[in-house]
Amino acid sequence: MTTPSENPVDLDRTDPESEIAARAEAYRNWGRWGQDDVLGTLNHIAPEHRVAAAALVREGTVVSLAQSFDTNGPQKGWRRRTNPVHTMTDTGTDAERGNQGFPHGIGGADDVISMPLQCSTQWDGLGHIFDHGNAWNGRRAGDVVTSEGDLVTGIEHAASVIVSRGVLLDVGRHLEPATGELADGYAITVADLDATAAAQGVAVGAGDIVLVRTGQLARARRDGWGDYAGGPAPGLSLTTAGWLHRTEIAAIATDTWGFEVRPNEFDVPAFQPLHQVVIPNLGLTIGEMWDLDELGAACAASGRYAFLLSAAPLPITGAVGSPLNPVAIL
């Protein structure tokens, strides 16, 4: 089997089906961790990775990598994705008026939130994307995800797993030092990832959680959301699939809505081809809409781009994705 090219120039932009299939076959991890596996590349995180990552903590500074969860988010209703709706069910007004029914003057507030699980900072779980009806590890999609949820690879299985060394690749700052922002539609290549790592003096290795900052979120905050949710964006090229496989990273996240470059790299209809390769075939967990701006500034100031990262999803039984508040500890 010929190894697919990592040069975007070599992509046949008229044939997404063949380009996707070649990478799915070349980098497929089915059976690598047994037929019953539910974690995919998260298996690359070993206890020793966490011990080594803990030793990276020097100042004890904690940086949240989450966007806000509120009605001012970027969602516009695509696939019924909306911004969170926060409703108070008990308030201070109720307490003042004494209508809560509690004794001896005690009062309280309570609230509820309604939102899609992938409307802000989130993980894509292994049941989120299928390839020709196949889910992760070669299972049939209909046997995995039903109306009752992901019965096999639900996000709850990762709840105590995603703690490891985080590595920031600030591609935006490396390629565009004047602005720190890649242009929408820019396809990040293997050469870009390697050059950024080299410039930052950091190596990407097995068990790492890689964070790729493009700068698009910073631009959206300055200029308005626009088409941040689903529109043109910088992101990883389909040709990075081999790099994602051979580095044996545990997971990857970006500051964009869709992780990969948009529009996708074809002259005919295509939709999220890199998702189709890496989630159901590699078993790679993908994070999107992470806020990497404060972390980028901190890493640039210190010259250190590796840190302890804790990024546990909410253990929502049967979910194919999860909101989270990932934290980098420096």
Side-chain angles (χ1 to χ4, degrees):
M1 181 182 63
T2 302
T3 301
S5 173
E6 294 186 347
N7 187 341
V9 173
D10 295 329
L11 275 179
D12 182 349
R13 296 176 183 269
T14 68
D15 191 2
E17 183 83 20
S18 295
E19 295 288 356
I20 293 167
R23 288 166 176 82
E25 182 180 358
Y27 309 127
R28 186 169 287 145
N29 280 328
W30 293 355
R32 182 171 182 173
W33 297 285
Q35 295 304 311
D36 296 330
D37 180 66
V38 296
L39 293 176
T41 57
L42 294 177
N43 284 289
H44 287 311
I45 304 175
E48 54 265 31
H49 290 123
R50 299 189 182 102
V51 172
L56 296 172
V57 178
R58 297 184 185 177
E59 298 107 24
T61 302
V62 179
V63 180
S64 170
L65 310 180
Q67 293 192 39
S68 298
F69 287 81
D70 57 37
T71 56
N72 296 318
Q75 300 298 335
K76 299 189 293 186
W78 178 84
R79 307 293 294 182
R80 295 176 291 281
R81 289 186 183 176
T82 60
N83 293 312
V85 177
H86 180 208
T87 303
M88 300 305 301
T89 55
D90 269 306
T91 70
T93 303
D94 298 323
E96 286 182 2
R97 292 176 179 174
N99 62 9
Q100 293 181 319
F102 297 131
H104 49 74
I106 188 173
D110 226 340
D111 46 5
V112 63
I113 191 166
S114 175
M115 65 180 188
L117 299 184
Q118 296 174 326
C119 67
S120 186
T121 304
Q122 53 94 18
W123 282 123
D124 281 350
L126 296 185
H128 178 52
I129 296 292
F130 312 121
D131 180 11
H132 291 84
N134 292 310
W136 161 241
N137 226 20
R139 304 176 179 102
R140 296 304 301 167
D143 294 333
V144 175
V145 182
T146 73
S147 60
E148 296 181 354
D150 186 336
L151 306 178
V152 181
T153 54
I155 201 74
E156 71 272 15
H157 295 290
S160 62
V161 176
I162 314 181
V163 178
S164 191
R165 187 177 86 135
V167 175
L168 175 69
L169 296 183
D170 196 339
V171 183
R173 187 174 267 106
H174 175 65
L175 294 183
E176 297 292 343
T179 64
E181 302 170 11
L182 300 179
D184 290 341
Y186 182 86
I188 298 170
T189 65
V190 170
D192 292 334
L193 296 172
D194 287 342
T196 301
Q200 295 176 175
V202 67
V204 173
D208 286 344
I209 302 169
V210 174
L211 312 181
V212 178
R213 182 186 172 277
T214 71
Q216 192 197 33
L217 178 59
R219 182 162 60 249
R221 284 190 169 133
R222 183 182 64 247
D223 300 339
W225 287 120
D227 288 330
Y228 177 85
L236 271 69
S237 168
L238 176 62
T239 57
T240 61
W243 185 94
L244 296 169
H245 181 259
R246 70 172 175 272
T247 54
E248 297 189 336
I249 62 172
I252 190 168
T254 70
D255 56 354
T256 67
W257 174 88
F259 162 68
E260 57 190 281
V261 64
R262 293 180 57 81
N264 302 131
E265 301 161 279
F266 294 96
D267 299 329
V268 296
F271 182 72
Q272 302 301 76
L274 190 56
H275 275 67
Q276 187 176 344
V277 172
V278 301
I279 294 180
N281 291 290
L282 271 71
L284 183 65
T285 295
I286 292 173
E288 294 158 334
M289 293 183 285
W290 289 36
D291 183 350
L292 303 178
D293 291 337
E294 182 181 352
L295 178 63
C299 290
S302 68
R304 296 190 296 113
Y305 288 84
F307 37 84
L308 175 62
L309 178 65
S310 178
L314 297 178
I316 303 168
T317 303
V320 299
S322 172
L324 74 157
N325 176 31
V327 293
I329 309 171
L330 308 174

